[in-house]
Amino acid sequence: MAANPLDPYVAKATDHPKISPQEKIKGVHEIIKAVKSAMLTTRAADGHMHSRAMAPAGPHEDSQLTLYFIGNNVSDKFDEIANDQHVNVSFSDHSTTNWVSYCGIARVSQDRDLIKKHWSKLTAAWFGDLKDGVHKGDENDPRVSIIEVVPDEIRYWITKSGTISQGAQVAFGAVTGHAAAPGELRTISKDEIQLTQGLNTN
């Protein structure tokens, strides 16, 4: 990702030593594990974009970048994914200012083995037992589907300074006119994603 010289914040934040794809993945995992909840953004047929909080399902392998979400397939997000598979998934850690942004393709599946792999007892609370003998709110409920988000590109910010140091850098920048960048802006490219996910085939 080439930085625009008119955006010195980004230029400075991306000016860091070469980091291996696996190191980048580790950084993404650290943020996701700390945040636990993401915003999944989809696009409706009228062009409007809608976001909602969802927790990615585990388990997670060391090289995994694909995200899995279990959802109710009668909800609007499934209609929106059917309209446009391009989605964004974002994570934000307010305690550190770290964040992750996924651009990817969403795929919907009712593969029961995959659902069972990522199912947890807490997930059932989002479905409820309708007492009709079919919609029981378990992993076999026909409403239960899994959304697989395969990334095309991942960008994330990881802070390299504590809160006090960040504040000092911003204050210094405001006084001196120098752009503050108390962390690193990293990109995992499509080529890097394809390379690393070839090492993590399920």
Side-chain angles (χ1 to χ4, degrees):
M1 180 177 61
N4 189 319
L6 295 178
D7 190 349
Y9 162 77
V10 171
K12 188 174 182 180
T14 55
D15 182 23
H16 52 73
K18 180 68 176 177
I19 299 172
S20 71
Q22 194 57 49
E23 288 178 294
K24 292 180 183 179
I25 292 173
K26 183 179 179 182
V28 168
H29 285 183
E30 288 174 354
I31 297 170
I32 291 176
K33 289 176 181 178
V35 177
K36 297 183 175 63
S37 182
M39 296 299 290
L40 170 65
T41 303
T42 53
R43 187 190 299 274
D46 62 5
H48 291 168
M49 302 178 75
H50 301 126
S51 300
R52 74 286 294 163
M54 297 187 73
H60 304 284
E61 286 78 25
D62 289 343
S63 295
Q64 178 181 323
L65 287 174
T66 298
L67 298 173
Y68 296 93
F69 300 95
I70 291 177
N72 189 327
N73 56 35
V74 303
S75 63
D76 290 340
K77 57 182 168 286
F78 285 86
D79 292 333
E80 293 175 358
I81 289 171
N83 170 69
D84 187 344
Q85 289 183 291
H86 294 86
V87 299
N88 178 268
V89 182
S90 59
F91 301 81
S92 180
D93 185 347
H94 297 291
S95 66
T96 61
T97 72
N98 293 343
W99 56 262
V100 179
S101 178
Y102 271 67
C103 294
I105 301 297
R107 301 171 180 167
V108 174
S109 172
Q110 282 195 303
D111 182 322
R112 291 298 149 187
D113 290 335
L114 191 60
I115 290 171
K116 185 175 181 180
K117 177 181 179 180
H118 293 91
W119 186 263
S120 72
K121 291 183 178 179
L122 291 177
T123 309
W126 299 104
F127 293 89
D129 186 349
L130 301 187
K131 308 298 182 181
D132 59 5
V134 177
H135 303 95
K136 300 178 181 179
D138 60 15
E139 62 264 41
N140 297 309
D141 190 313
R143 295 172 296 169
V144 177
S145 290
I146 197 158
I147 300 170
E148 178 184 12
V149 177
V150 180
D152 281 330
E153 181 185 76
I154 301 170
R155 295 185 181 186
Y156 72 100
W157 165 270
I158 187 164
T159 185
K160 292 297 181 180
S161 306
T163 303
I164 294 176
S165 178
Q166 287 184 55
Q169 289 190 48
V170 172
F172 178 78
V175 171
T176 63
H178 293 91
E184 294 178 1
L185 184 60
R186 300 175 180 174
T187 299
I188 305 180
S189 68
K190 187 170 186 176
D191 288 344
E192 289 175 321
I193 290 168
Q194 291 176 343
L195 172 66
T196 58
Q197 298 317 282
L199 305 176
N200 183 39
T201 55
N202 293 325

